């Protein structure tokens, strides 16, 4: 079993050997930079002559934790090589970054935890809302394979000759247009997660795959069409009002991840019960990079306001990560020439 330093040193050489011949002249870059909830040891690939270059960024700390749990170095390298090959044809029009008028139409909001991202927030324009903060990204591409974004930092803000208020105003419009909200009852979503064998068993037994709920008893998922950074949709009162109207009451909003939130009738469970559930799920199920908050919010459908109603404890959500997990879902790419 390799120690951490040996593993970090071995990855670039092993990855270079595993990649196809077309990657023979590529440059493998390693460095540290801020991602949501953590500062990571990252690795990315640069192809010579490819000016509009994008690559997935691998968190080598997570890769090493996976290796510690499995002892399988080759599977780490195979997975990384596969993702790099799949991403080699992804190109981006970098002229967008030099055209402020076009750029304004592609600024989106991302909602992250404030206490767990102090270092990142020191270098990026933002605004605090409850225990979270809004940061801003330029959406370079949005396809079925994932989205490509660039985090706007303070240097970019100065170059764009804008203020944080300008960013927020543009992002409010662009986020709603480019990443429209999706509101679904959980009873529509969960059946898609049920294996075919279990479906067949339910059918043979004459049982429904999911219990049917009345609208006022339903748990609703709020996200966006890409499924990435969807928690920012709770900043739009119209979205929460739709859910509140469905249940006929004020609603509690549970920040299940940076990608989506859950909404439930205020009378269904107590704040204490819901907060315990959110903390438990964060600590045992949600990957560290996806965690948003341990708190519970209340949307008042008369006042159209969203406020934090839980105790405010455990605001830092970086404890309890499951080191055996390495996310391989809808990838978010960063443009190599622009990341810090």
């Amino acid at each position: 079993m390799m120690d951490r330093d040996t593993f970090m040193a071995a990855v670039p050489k092993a990855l270079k050997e595993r990649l196809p011949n077309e990657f023979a002249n590529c440059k493998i870059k390693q460095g540290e930079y801020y991602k949501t909830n953590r500062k990571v040891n990252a690795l990315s690939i640069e192809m010579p002559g490819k000016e509009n270059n994008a690559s997935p960024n691998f968190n080598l700390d997570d890769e090493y934790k996976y290796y510690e749990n499995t002892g399988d170095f080759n599977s780490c390298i195979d997975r990384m090589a596969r993702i790099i090959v799949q991403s080699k044809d992804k190109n981006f029009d970098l002229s967008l970054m030099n055209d402020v008028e076009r750029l304004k139409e592609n600024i989106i909001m991302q909602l992250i935890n404030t206490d767990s991202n102090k270092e990142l927030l020191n270098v990026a324009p933002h605004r605090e809302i409850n225990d979270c903060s809004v940061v801003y990204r330029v959406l370079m591409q949005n396809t079925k394979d994932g989205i490509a974004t660039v985090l706007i930092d303070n240097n970019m803000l100065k170059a764009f000759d804008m203020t944080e208020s300008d960013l927020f105003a543009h992002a409010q419009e662009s986020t709603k247009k480019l990443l429209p909200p999706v509101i679904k009852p959980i009873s529509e979503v969960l059946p898609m997660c049920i294996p075919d064998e279990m479906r067949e068993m339910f059918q043979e037994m004459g049982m429904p795959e999911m219990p049917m709920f009345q609208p006022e008893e339903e748990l609703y998922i709020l996200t966006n069409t890409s499924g990435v950074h969807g928690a920012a949709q709770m900043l739009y009162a119209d979205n929460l009002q739709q859910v509140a109207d469905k249940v006929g009451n004020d609603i509690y909003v549970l920040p299940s991840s940076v990608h989506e939130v859950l909404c439930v009738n205020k009378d269904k469970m107590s704040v204490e019960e819901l907060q315990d559930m959110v903390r438990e799920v964060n600590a045992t199920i949600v990957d560290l990079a996806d965690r948003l908050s341990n708190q519970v919010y209340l949307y008042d459908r008369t006042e159209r306001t969203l406020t934090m109603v839980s105790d405010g404890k455990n605001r830092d959500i970086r404890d309890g990560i499951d080191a055996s997990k390495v996310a391989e879902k809808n990838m978010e790419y960063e443009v190599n020439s622009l990341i810090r």
Side-chain angles (χ1 to χ4, degrees):
M1 177 72 71
M2 288 182 278
D3 61 26
R4 182 179 179 279
D5 291 341
T6 303
F7 175 88
M8 298 291 179
V11 167
K13 181 176 183 296
L15 189 57
K16 194 77 175 285
E17 292 174 349
R18 196 67 51 90
L19 288 168
N21 290 336
E22 61 186 302
F23 289 86
N25 297 320
C26 72
K27 294 181 180 179
I28 297 180
K29 296 173 59 178
Q30 283 182 269
E32 292 186 332
Y33 66 99
Y34 297 117
K35 295 284 281 185
T36 306
N37 299 330
R38 52 190 171 171
K39 184 177 182 180
V40 304
N41 289 287
L43 179 147
S44 61
I45 301 292
E46 273 192 3
M47 293 290 286
K50 190 177 179 183
E51 296 179 357
N52 294 340
N53 186 27
S55 169
N57 290 283
F58 298 99
N59 183 338
L60 293 182
D61 296 312
D62 278 358
E63 298 292 345
Y64 180 66
K65 289 171 183 175
Y66 176 83
Y67 165 69
E68 278 188 310
N69 279 273
T70 65
D72 192 344
F73 180 72
N74 286 329
S75 70
C76 291
I77 301 302
D78 286 342
R79 173 185 170 276
M80 294 168 70
R82 184 176 70 253
I83 292 175
I84 290 169
V85 170
Q86 291 172 346
S87 69
K88 68 181 177 64
D89 295 325
K90 295 186 180 295
N91 294 296
F92 302 93
D93 180 10
L94 299 186
S95 65
L96 175 65
M97 301 302 295
N98 298 315
D99 185 338
V100 176
E101 292 307 311
R102 286 175 57 207
L103 181 141
K104 289 176 181 177
E105 298 176 354
N106 289 277
I107 298 173
I108 62 170
M109 294 186 288
Q110 178 189 8
L111 200 58
I112 62 176
N113 184 273
T114 299
D115 280 18
S116 300
N117 291 281
K118 291 180 180 178
E119 295 89 350
L120 186 152
L121 296 175
N122 281 335
V123 299
H126 62 279
R127 68 172 54 194
E128 295 186 16
I129 298 178
N130 291 314
D131 63 321
C132 297
S133 290
V134 175
V135 294
Y136 307 95
R137 291 182 171 272
V138 181
L139 183 62
M140 307 295 289
Q141 183 170 301
N142 180 16
T143 69
K144 62 181 178 60
D145 297 320
I147 70 173
T149 67
V150 177
L151 177 70
I152 298 178
D153 63 18
N154 293 331
N155 292 330
M156 291 182 190
L157 183 69
K158 185 177 180 180
F160 300 154
D161 192 25
M162 288 194 286
T163 65
E164 185 277 332
S165 294
D166 293 331
L167 289 180
F168 187 71
H170 293 306
Q172 277 188 304
E173 292 299 318
S174 298
T175 304
K176 182 167 53 177
K177 177 181 176 181
L178 300 173
L179 300 171
V182 172
I183 301 172
K184 289 185 177 181
I186 199 167
S187 59
E188 287 186 14
V189 177
L190 288 184
M192 294 184 291
C193 305
I194 299 176
D196 290 339
E197 296 82 0
M198 190 171 291
R199 291 177 187 274
E200 294 174 2
M201 181 183 72
F202 287 156
Q203 291 173 358
E204 291 174 359
M205 299 175 65
M207 296 171 57
E209 294 175 4
M210 279 292 298
M212 300 301 294
F213 296 98
Q214 295 300 317
E216 66 273 12
E217 299 175 340
E218 185 71 82
L219 187 66
Y220 290 87
I221 296 176
L222 172 60
T223 182
N224 62 31
T225 50
S226 76
V228 179
H229 304 328
Q233 293 295 331
M234 73 172 170
L235 301 180
Y236 295 93
D238 286 349
N239 294 336
L240 299 178
Q241 191 70 32
Q242 284 189 49
V243 180
D245 288 343
K246 288 178 183 295
V247 304
N249 199 358
D250 298 342
I251 55 173
Y252 288 130
V253 180
L254 313 180
S256 54
S257 82
V258 297
H259 304 303
E260 75 280 318
V261 298
L262 300 177
C263 305
V264 62
N265 190 321
K266 176 179 177 288
D267 293 337
K268 190 169 183 180
M269 295 179 70
S270 71
V271 173
E272 292 75 21
E273 290 174 316
L274 290 171
Q275 186 175 26
D276 287 344
M277 182 176 70
V278 171
R279 289 174 177 171
E280 177 68 18
V281 169
N282 273 334
T284 59
I285 297 176
V286 182
D287 186 83
L288 178 61
D290 295 335
R291 295 181 195 171
L292 178 57
S293 172
N294 283 326
Q295 307 306 317
V296 176
Y297 312 112
L298 173 67
Y299 176 73
D300 186 310
R301 64 175 179 153
T302 302
E303 300 294 329
R304 294 175 67 89
T305 57
L306 182 69
T307 56
M308 191 173 81
V309 291
S310 49
D311 59 22
K313 297 178 180 177
N314 303 114
R315 292 192 178 212
D316 193 317
I317 42 78
R318 290 174 291 187
D319 297 326
I321 184 170
D322 182 351
S324 67
K325 294 188 298 182
V326 177
E328 192 177 349
K329 59 179 183 180
N330 213 7
M331 292 293 295
E332 180 188 350
Y333 296 90
E334 297 270 6
V335 179
N336 284 339
S337 61
L338 295 171
I339 62 173
R340 291 188 305 281

